[in-house]
Amino acid sequence: MDLRQGIGLRKLGKTADEFQQDLLSNLYYRRGTTVESASARDAYEALAQTVRDHLAERRARTAAAQFASNPRWVYYLSAEYLLGAQLEQNLLYSGTGDLAAEAVKALGFGLEDLEDLDVEPGLGNGGLGRLAACLVDSLATRDIPAVGYGIRYDLGIFRQVITEEGQAELPDDWAFHGNPWEFPAPDDRQAVGFYGHTEPIPGSTTRKVWVPGEVVLGEPSHMLVPGFGTETVNIIRLWSAKASEASFDLSRFSAGQYAEAVQEAVRAENISKVLYPDDSTELGRELRLKQQYFLVSCSLRDIVRRFRLRNEGWDTFADKTVIQLNDTHPTIAIPELMRLLVDEYEVEWEQAWEITRRTFAYTCHTLLPEALETWPVRMFEKLLPRHLEIIYLINMLFLREVEARFPGDHDRLRRMSIIQEDPERRVRMAHLAVVGTEAVNGVAELHSKLLRETVLDDFAALWPAKFQNVTNGVSPRRFIKIANPRLSDLITEGLGDDSWVGDLERLAGLERLADDASFRERWQAIKRANKVDLAAGDPDSLTDVMIKRFHEYKRQQLKLLHVITLYQRIRQNPAADWVPRTVLFAGKAAPAYHAAKDIIRLIATIAARIEADPVVSPYLKVVFPSNYNVTLAERIIPAADLSEQISLAGKEASGTGNMKLALNGAVTIGTLDGANIEIRARVGEDNFFLFGLDAYEAARARINGYQPRHFYERDEELRAAMDTLTSGVFGEVGRRVADSLLGWDEYLTLADFRSYLECQEQVEKSWRDPARWTRMSILNTAHSGFFSSDRTVADYAARIWRVAPVPVPRED
Ligand SMILES: *Cc1c(COP(=O)(O)O)cnc(C)c1O
């Protein structure tokens, strides 16, 4: 007899009174304080725990239902998760918002005050980490059994402060006050090896023993990821590095050598200390590679442990497991799974390789050659000697396959090899990721096409069926329902119900309302109210936003040349009928990326100059709020009129900021790049401002010996703008930016300048007709339904993962 039969959890409060009792109980028994002495932080912590309890109860039912059905699990491996704040989301997803507002009021606090204490875990850099967060949200919303694996960095992406000197970086100790959303699970610790050497096993050619020289512990904690409008609560599991107990040197400590006593422990724990604030170039080198292996090793052991709870043998491993690699950062998972299967579980190499290939899928996120990760062979040799041997063997067998298909084509072998030979021997992670997976996808139509035609063309020729596209998406909960409550209410009213939040294509029903003058007026009034809340500038001005990481390919410098030109035009003719604009920039630059930081500094300088100019400032204002993160994005996006998506065509993989803004009724000015193309196709050419070269024209311009000076010499206004920079009136930094543009202009800024300016004139023409503009705005929202990450996940589930939902029964 099961002694536990009939034992169940006390029901959580469903009424305001009961919710308050639960809250008080958390305040007294978990927080250890009383109503009379509770601080705002006490109230916040107790509230977070109460809301979390609602999700934890659903989590328990989810785990039971998922394990009982023994499905194919989706494991999402990502070095980054840019989750955003948790409280408001969890109130929405648990349906406890109203109860909570009432309960905290009785304690003498406002819900908004407590939301201010809810710190966003900044465990990602930008688009890639935010995509991971949107996908885990939609996986739960679609009832797909899934776990997201990541690293619990002590310090997230740096806190940015903007001054006239440019960007300053401060550490982001996001969990300084603790993190009430997290459950530590020290029992599921894993040991991770590094360094050391390998030893042969007599009688085996493929198996080896790896004797690591250093062992570090990975300790997991998990955060709950609730689905919207469903019972499912999945988790993300984040690993922290811990030194083993033996690493504290008591005898040195006793001898007063305090630093030396903890030296080894510090070294071990450094692995999860910081998120590298750069998503395109390699810094921190060995420590970064250590982080990657740390994530992979802990996660794979956890995945194997979970598999073995329900299954025996290895035959069904790939039927029960799909591991999605979010870019190449977790690609060492491929040789690591081979090592586990071959060395530790004694599976034959061929079978292990078959399992591995069927288990993994890889999402590529870039087209920039410098962002394609490679690691020096000698670093691998030292840090992960056994993995290098396995990679060599994988590569040898792979090149044999290529040779069989293309006999004698040595150049092809050299191009495709996982090992790059010149100028230095390096491991090409993207090649390893393509060879070791069943499916490879790009993140927008154009991106997937360019991957097949350029970066991975040899692989596409060998395995055409492996290459797919899954266009990115964003969570409609976070990026409209929560971020833009006013617009959400109007949409719900216009469509008759709120089912669009879980079924975003329903927004198409707004199309007929675009011609309704009173609906348009209310739409416009909401945009205005959102601008008043943002308080960035005159709410009646055209709010023109460029919010994203600073990178030369994204071309903030092009926007800046537009600002300088407007400035000069207004000065020359102050009496003309100017359209007032507020230009808002936000975004971080990698600390070592000097060219990007120069652009930030130049923006800050020019903003101050315009502010101080009584002739120009009534029409033009440049603002740069510090520390762009998800929380700030949620404030800016609802207030945006114009969305700047002006990267050089062929460089932005997809973009997701473009989707968030269109969804909130900002009209895009953009190039034919990334998902802009798909946005334009859906919202309609008349509701999108297109300019610039396309990807093929851009590539051809470069090949044909592009000369930025040519454009400088032929365009008087461009020359005036550049000459102002060169003159030094905006300081040395203006000179540096101008020199770089006139000298080489890697991203063809000057080539697209005139087209961009003309297009901005079209923008102003449309803006002068509010009925027309508002119609465009409504149609952007109406046709953004495709860009829900719920659709993205459905695409992955059907075409790449081949998994089905496992619904979780309701509480009886
Ligand atoms: C959406 C988002 C991004 C990605 O923006 P892109 O314009 O696609 O580069 C980056 N950072 C944050 C905080 C975001 O919310």
Side-chain angles (χ1 to χ4, degrees):
M1 200 184 95
D2 185 351
L3 286 174
R4 290 174 295 188
Q5 227 171 31
I7 303 182
L9 186 67
R10 171 175 72 82
K11 293 265 185 298
L12 290 165
K14 293 279 190 295
T15 66
D17 276 349
E18 290 165 352
F19 188 91
Q20 182 154 44
Q21 279 302 309
D22 294 339
L23 180 69
L24 286 180
S25 149
N26 283 325
L27 192 69
Y28 278 78
Y29 303 128
R30 290 209 234 172
R31 193 69 190 163
T33 184
T34 63
V35 175
E36 292 71 26
S37 48
S39 66
R41 188 165 302 282
D42 292 325
Y44 162 72
E45 293 275 342
L47 174 63
Q49 282 161 350
T50 311
V51 174
R52 196 183 77 170
D53 289 346
H54 282 254
L55 299 178
E57 188 279 324
R58 269 168 59 187
R59 168 67 197 155
R61 275 184 286 127
T62 303
Q66 291 178 340
F67 274 94
S69 90
N70 195 16
R72 188 178 205 205
W73 289 83
V74 176
Y75 296 113
Y76 197 78
L77 256 61
S78 179
E80 300 182 18
Y81 289 88
L82 198 54
L83 293 171
Q86 297 292 295
L87 176 57
E88 217 180 332
Q89 170 191 292
N90 289 340
L91 286 168
L92 172 68
Y93 283 54
S94 63
T96 54
D98 293 340
L99 301 178
E102 213 173 306
V104 297
K105 202 162 133 212
L107 293 185
F109 297 99
L111 197 49
E112 271 107 69
D113 307 327
L114 303 191
E115 275 161 9
D116 287 344
L117 299 175
D118 192 47
V119 176
E120 124 169 28
L123 305 181
N125 274 294
L128 173 144
R130 184 54 230 176
L131 180 77
C134 285
L135 291 189
V136 293
D137 170 325
S138 291
L139 278 162
T141 298
R142 293 260 179 217
D143 293 324
I144 294 173
V147 178
Y149 285 101
I151 298 177
R152 191 189 179 289
Y153 303 103
D154 290 347
L155 303 178
I157 177 74
F158 63 86
R159 218 151 33 82
Q160 178 200 53
V161 179
I162 300 287
T163 68
E164 264 192 62
E165 303 297 303
Q167 163 179 297
E169 300 108 26
L170 301 174
D172 171 30
D173 193 355
W174 64 280
F176 182 78
H177 294 287
N179 173 18
W181 304 108
E182 190 177 341
F183 294 86
D187 289 352
D188 289 339
R189 261 185 218 136
Q190 303 292 353
V192 183
F194 295 101
Y195 308 107
H197 65 277
T198 65
E199 290 169 5
I201 293 177
S204 175
T205 49
T206 48
R207 287 183 63 215
K208 286 265 189 99
V209 176
W210 173 28
V211 186
E214 180 186 355
V215 174
V216 174
L217 298 177
E219 197 167 286
S221 59
H222 59 262
M223 288 175 72
L224 301 178
V225 181
F228 179 78
T230 181
E231 295 294 302
T232 298
V233 175
N234 286 334
I235 58 169
I236 53 177
R237 206 151 222 216
L238 302 173
W239 300 98
S240 292
K242 288 269 173 297
S244 61
E245 272 172 276
S247 66
F248 181 76
D249 193 329
L250 186 57
S251 59
R252 286 196 142 163
F253 191 86
S254 307
Q257 298 172 329
Y258 304 122
E260 292 83 349
V262 294
Q263 186 174 303
E264 207 183 310
V266 167
R267 201 166 79 122
E269 291 175 8
N270 269 347
I271 291 175
S272 57
K273 194 55 120 189
V274 285
L275 165 72
Y276 286 99
D278 189 331
D279 46 13
S280 61
T281 56
E282 294 313 319
L283 285 170
R285 307 273 173 210
E286 185 181 286
L287 191 52
R288 192 167 177 128
L289 187 59
K290 264 184 139 170
Q291 285 186 332
Q292 295 186 352
Y293 180 62
F294 173 74
L295 164 63
V296 154
S297 170
C298 292
S299 306
L300 276 188
R301 285 193 189 276
D302 203 54
I303 290 167
V304 166
R305 176 188 66 80
R306 293 166 55 91
F307 171 74
R308 300 189 121 206
L309 290 174
R310 281 263 141 197
N311 307 278
E312 278 168 32
W314 295 100
D315 294 348
T316 58
F317 185 77
D319 302 328
K320 299 295 182 189
T321 312
V322 54
I323 303 177
Q324 187 69 41
L325 305 174
N326 192 26
D327 216 328
T328 50
H329 315 131
T331 300
I332 315 165
I334 292 167
E336 172 69 356
L337 183 59
M338 287 301 288
R339 191 188 68 78
L340 288 174
L341 292 174
V342 173
D343 291 356
E344 298 198 7
Y345 294 107
E346 302 185 34
V347 177
E348 289 300 322
W349 177 278
E350 288 72 23
Q351 195 199 347
W353 183 236
E354 158 86 16
I355 292 169
T356 298
R357 265 194 170 175
R358 285 181 51 220
T359 297
F360 286 104
Y362 157 52
T363 305
C364 178
H365 280 274
T366 188
L367 282 165
L368 303 181
E370 68 270 26
L372 286 175
E373 241 188 329
T374 62
W375 291 102
V377 162
R378 52 174 171 73
M379 193 188 287
F380 249 93
E381 204 157 27
K382 177 174 150 218
L383 189 66
L384 300 167
R386 179 57 185 144
H387 296 79
L388 184 64
E389 293 173 357
I390 291 171
I391 290 169
Y392 281 154
L393 191 46
I394 291 173
N395 196 36
M396 191 187 85
L397 297 169
F398 162 63
L399 292 178
R400 246 185 232 170
E401 213 177 313
V402 179
E403 170 75 28
R405 269 287 302 281
F406 301 96
D409 191 343
H410 298 294
D411 201 43
R412 184 182 298 266
L413 292 179
R414 186 187 50 73
R415 290 196 310 264
M416 294 182 81
S417 173
I418 295 169
I419 306 296
Q420 166 195 304
E421 297 293 337
D422 297 318
E424 175 195 32
R425 300 194 75 221
R426 299 180 77 95
V427 183
R428 295 163 162 158
M429 302 309 273
H431 291 202
L432 180 58
V434 177
V435 171
T437 55
E438 187 169 58
V440 177
N441 75 284
V443 288
E445 294 280 356
L446 174 70
H447 175 235
S448 298
K449 182 161 179 273
L450 292 175
L451 280 180
R452 286 191 302 261
E453 289 174 0
T454 62
V455 185
L456 300 173
D457 53 348
D458 288 324
F459 293 91
L462 185 63
W463 297 311
K466 197 184 263 209
F467 287 80
Q468 304 209 32
N469 174 62
V470 182
T471 299
N472 282 167
V474 300
S475 164
R477 272 72 64 184
R478 185 169 291 275
F479 288 108
I480 182 163
K481 172 79 183 153
I482 293 172
N484 201 343
R486 291 187 184 104
L487 199 68
S488 297
D489 288 348
L490 180 63
I491 292 170
T492 297
E493 195 191 311
L495 296 179
D497 63 62
D498 66 358
S499 59
W500 59 274
V501 179
D503 184 5
L504 205 62
E505 294 274 11
R506 286 185 184 234
L507 289 177
L510 293 172
E511 172 144 24
R512 61 185 174 80
L513 293 166
D515 294 318
D516 174 337
S518 77
F519 188 80
R520 277 202 310 263
E521 271 163 35
R522 294 175 67 193
W523 189 275
Q524 206 184 339
I526 285 169
K527 207 35 116 181
R528 192 180 188 284
N530 291 341
K531 291 196 236 178
V532 170
D533 282 359
L534 179 63
D538 176 2
D540 294 314
S541 65
L542 171 64
T543 300
D544 175 357
V545 311
M546 184 154 189
I547 49 176
K548 48 183 75 251
R549 283 301 286 261
F550 272 74
H551 200 293
E552 287 163 288
Y553 85 79
K554 291 180 183 272
R555 297 201 298 190
Q556 279 92 355
Q557 65 275 23
L558 179 57
K559 179 80 227 154
L560 194 57
L561 289 178
H562 176 227
V563 168
I564 296 172
T565 305
L566 287 179
Y567 173 78
Q568 291 177 331
R569 283 183 186 171
I570 297 169
R571 288 219 56 132
Q572 274 157 23
N573 191 2
D577 180 21
W578 299 108
V579 167
R581 276 199 200 233
T582 303
V583 177
L584 187 153
F585 290 93
K588 296 173 183 176
Y593 189 175
H594 299 293
K597 289 173 83 172
D598 274 353
I599 294 165
I600 292 181
R601 181 161 178 186
L602 187 54
I603 292 171
T605 309
I606 291 174
R609 181 65 60 90
I610 292 173
E611 184 75 36
D613 187 321
V615 173
V616 178
S617 58
Y619 307 108
L620 185 59
K621 185 177 173 77
V622 175
V623 290
F624 198 139
S626 300
N627 201 37
Y628 183 54
N629 59 11
V630 178
T631 309
L632 185 57
E634 288 172 35
R635 289 185 47 221
I636 296 170
I637 290 166
D641 294 311
L642 186 65
S643 162
E644 299 275 350
Q645 308 300 335
I646 61 178
S647 51
L648 175 62
K651 298 295 174 186
E652 185 74 88
S654 158
T656 50
N658 47 2
M659 300 170 185
K660 299 166 197 168
L661 284 153
L663 178 59
N664 282 272
V667 184
T668 305
I669 182 166
T671 48
L672 287 175
D673 201 13
N676 293 355
I677 296 174
E678 288 156 82
I679 292 175
R680 179 165 174 264
R682 286 186 165 75
V683 306
E685 292 174 16
D686 295 342
N687 304 307
F688 186 107
F689 295 100
L690 178 69
F691 76 96
L693 302 170
D694 71 21
Y696 296 96
E697 290 165 345
R700 224 172 299 129
R702 208 61 287 164
I703 290 166
N704 294 340
Y706 167 68
Q707 298 267 350
R709 283 219 165 255
H710 171 95
F711 292 90
Y712 167 82
E713 276 152 17
R714 273 165 192 69
D715 190 319
E716 203 179 312
E717 266 190 321
L718 174 58
R719 200 161 60 243
M722 297 297 296
D723 288 349
T724 316
L725 292 177
T726 317
S727 74
V729 294
F730 298 124
E732 232 4 83
V733 64
R735 269 202 201 113
R736 282 201 298 273
V737 170
D739 284 352
S740 146
L741 290 175
L742 284 172
W744 175 247
D745 189 16
E746 175 71 31
Y747 300 103
L748 309 182
T749 312
L750 303 198
D752 274 348
F753 173 83
R754 184 46 54 189
S755 167
Y756 180 55
L757 257 82
E758 282 169 4
C759 195
Q760 286 284 5
E761 280 155 27
Q762 294 305 311
V763 168
E764 292 182 359
K765 208 170 137 213
S766 303
W767 177 255
R768 285 177 197 276
D769 180 352
R772 174 169 168 204
W773 185 275
T774 307
R775 195 169 176 281
M776 294 173 83
S777 168
I778 296 170
L779 291 176
N780 266 271
T781 303
H783 297 301
S784 289
F786 177 78
F787 301 104
S788 167
S789 49
D790 298 343
R791 188 270 315 151
T792 308
V793 157
D795 282 355
Y796 276 107
R799 293 196 277 113
I800 293 186
W801 302 330
R802 294 188 303 277
V803 294
V806 175
V808 176
R810 297 196 164 273
E811 198 184 7
D812 28 64

